[in-house]
Amino acid sequence: MTEQQTEEHLKMPADPPADPQEQAPREHYRVNVTDESHGERLDVVIAAALTSHSRNTVRNFIVDGLVQVDGRVIRKPSYSVTSGMLLDVYAPPLVPLENTPQDIPLEIVYEDEDIAVVNKPLGLIIHPGAGVAEGTLLNALLYRYPGSATLPRAGIVHRIDKDTTGLLVVARSERAFLQLSDDISEHKVVREYAAIAEGVIASGGTVDCEIGRDPVSRIRMSVVPPGMGRPAVTHYRVEERFRAHTLLRLRLETGRTHQIRVHMAHLDHPLLGDQVYGAGRRRFLGGASEELNEALRCFRHQALHALHLELTHPVSGQALSFEAPLPEDFVALIKLLRADLRAHGTKQS
């Protein structure tokens, strides 16, 4: 990227692409493709020019039809540009955070000037949304790291569900935010989970199925036909089998909303305790102890824990690896399931 090209991604007083559904104001940037960038990917060239946006964000702009190449909308991030082309980007404006810092206790596994790794407890929502204005991880980050108010989403680069526990990394500097966003998009951050699934799973495998919004329930996601959703890949292996459940270790290749929960439900092995994707599953195990059946009835959240996180430090380049022990209720349930299996020999139901 030349100095000339970088300077030319100026805000332009032009109209955005014609779209009857588009109502929000857009910031217009224009990028001239130089000889130096000839043959490069569209998303690479734009991300190099729009330094305030991550490459993953730029990809979303392209897929959403917010990028024109010589006046024509291109929705393919890998599109090869040629010298002399004019690229017009109509980006949503960056809105400063107006959320309230709150003194919410956080378990910090690691922190430095650029990143922090948090072990998220059960019930903590990641950021404010519909009906939730405070009490989130974002509010806690604003309190602990006041400088994060200058970053998109206070430095949050990936999410885990409210009722999922475990590790996530957040950025504390702009450079770290941009690099971590790209690393996650390019599958360079290793995220592994422990889960207890309903039923006995014979062996590990991979689920490679697109995920989209459920056509019936807007609070659910679902596996959809190819081309109708976003690519989603989950790898899983069997760690331990019980009479009617399986302890799994899963690795995300992508990070779609509810991905593990949706993929396991698609295999007809929803996660134990999942109130959305496992509703209606039995909460009584024949022949089990009263203590185990009570634990099964009372386990009212998905048995899913972000166990392992592995990344390259976005600034220093150092290889980092973190582990978060299983929550107490998770450990207690596994002990009861093991005791049940011993009591019934190796017979599985």
Side-chain angles (χ1 to χ4, degrees):
M1 181 64 60
T2 65
E3 181 180 356
Q4 179 185 7
Q5 184 172 345
T6 303
E7 290 177 348
E8 286 179 343
H9 69 280
L10 304 174
K11 296 179 183 178
M12 306 292 292
D15 294 328
D19 184 346
Q21 296 182 344
E22 184 58 69
Q23 301 295 331
R26 300 286 178 182
E27 300 285 4
H28 179 206
Y29 302 89
R30 175 161 289 171
V31 180
N32 293 321
V33 180
T34 63
D35 292 341
E36 183 183 86
S37 298
H38 179 84
E40 290 191 6
R41 290 170 54 111
L42 179 60
D43 58 347
V44 171
V45 173
I46 294 176
L50 275 61
T51 56
S52 59
H53 296 81
S54 71
R55 185 171 166 187
N56 186 49
T57 300
V58 168
R59 284 198 192 99
N60 290 334
F61 291 166
I62 296 170
V63 171
D64 291 342
L66 303 179
V67 173
Q68 293 183 358
V69 178
D70 287 341
R72 183 165 59 100
V73 173
I74 298 294
R75 296 177 182 265
K76 185 178 179 182
S78 62
Y79 179 85
S80 181
V81 301
T82 59
S83 177
M85 281 181 168
L86 284 180
L87 313 179
D88 290 296
V89 184
Y90 299 90
L94 293 173
V95 180
L97 285 175
E98 296 181 355
N99 296 290
T100 304
Q102 290 181 288
D103 186 7
I104 300 170
L106 293 177
E107 181 183 344
I108 303 297
V109 177
Y110 173 88
E111 65 181 343
D112 60 29
E113 293 181 352
D114 296 291
I115 68 170
V117 176
V118 180
N119 186 11
K120 189 189 86 67
L122 179 69
L124 181 63
I125 296 173
I126 297 299
H127 54 67
V132 179
E134 56 185 20
T136 71
L137 174 63
L138 185 146
N139 300 105
L141 291 173
L142 290 173
Y143 182 89
R144 185 179 182 96
Y145 309 120
S148 65
T150 64
L151 300 174
R153 301 183 299 280
I156 295 170
V157 292
H158 67 117
R159 295 177 293 176
I160 54 180
D161 297 334
K162 170 189 174 183
D163 289 331
T164 298
T165 55
L167 298 171
L168 75 162
V169 60
V170 297
R172 295 190 57 199
S173 68
E174 181 179 3
R175 181 179 176 185
F177 179 85
L178 295 172
Q179 187 61 55
L180 283 173
S181 297
D182 287 345
D183 285 352
I184 290 172
S185 174
E186 295 168 7
H187 318 311
K188 295 179 180 179
V189 176
V190 176
R191 291 169 288 168
E192 293 188 348
Y193 291 72
I196 300 175
E198 299 274 6
V200 180
I201 301 175
S203 61
T206 296
V207 186
D208 185 355
C209 297
E210 292 187 13
I211 289 177
R213 187 70 62 181
D214 189 285
V216 177
S217 173
R218 303 305 293 173
I219 67 170
R220 291 168 53 103
M221 307 300 287
S222 64
V223 167
V224 297
M228 299 295 289
R230 303 189 71 182
V233 180
T234 305
H235 307 284
Y236 64 95
R237 71 172 186 261
V238 173
E239 295 282 280
E240 195 170 351
R241 298 182 189 89
F242 309 109
R243 274 209 301 146
H245 301 87
T246 305
L247 177 64
L248 298 171
R249 182 149 179 159
L250 308 100
R251 176 178 291 203
L252 291 178
E253 189 169 311
T254 53
R256 309 305 177 206
T257 301
H258 301 173
Q259 178 173 316
I260 289 175
R261 299 164 63 193
V262 172
H263 274 171
M264 295 314 299
H266 178 68
L267 296 181
D268 199 29
H269 292 289
L271 301 189
L272 172 69
D274 195 324
Q275 302 300 298
V276 176
Y277 300 101
R281 303 290 291 207
R282 64 180 179 182
R283 293 189 175 275
F284 176 84
L285 183 57
S289 68
E290 182 178 339
E291 186 180 9
L292 173 55
N293 276 321
E294 179 66 16
L296 292 173
R297 283 192 295 269
C298 294
F299 210 94
R300 306 296 295 176
H301 63 88
Q302 63 267 10
L304 184 62
H305 175 70
L307 182 74
H308 177 77
L309 183 66
E310 195 174 313
L311 65 140
T312 299
H313 193 284
V315 177
S316 71
Q318 179 184 2
L320 300 174
S321 181
F322 306 97
E323 298 279 337
L326 294 174
E328 290 182 4
D329 61 345
F330 208 119
V331 172
L333 183 58
I334 290 174
K335 288 180 178 179
L336 290 171
L337 291 170
R338 285 173 178 160
D340 176 76
L341 184 60
R342 286 194 300 269
H344 293 81
T346 57
K347 184 178 179 181
Q348 296 170 332
S349 61

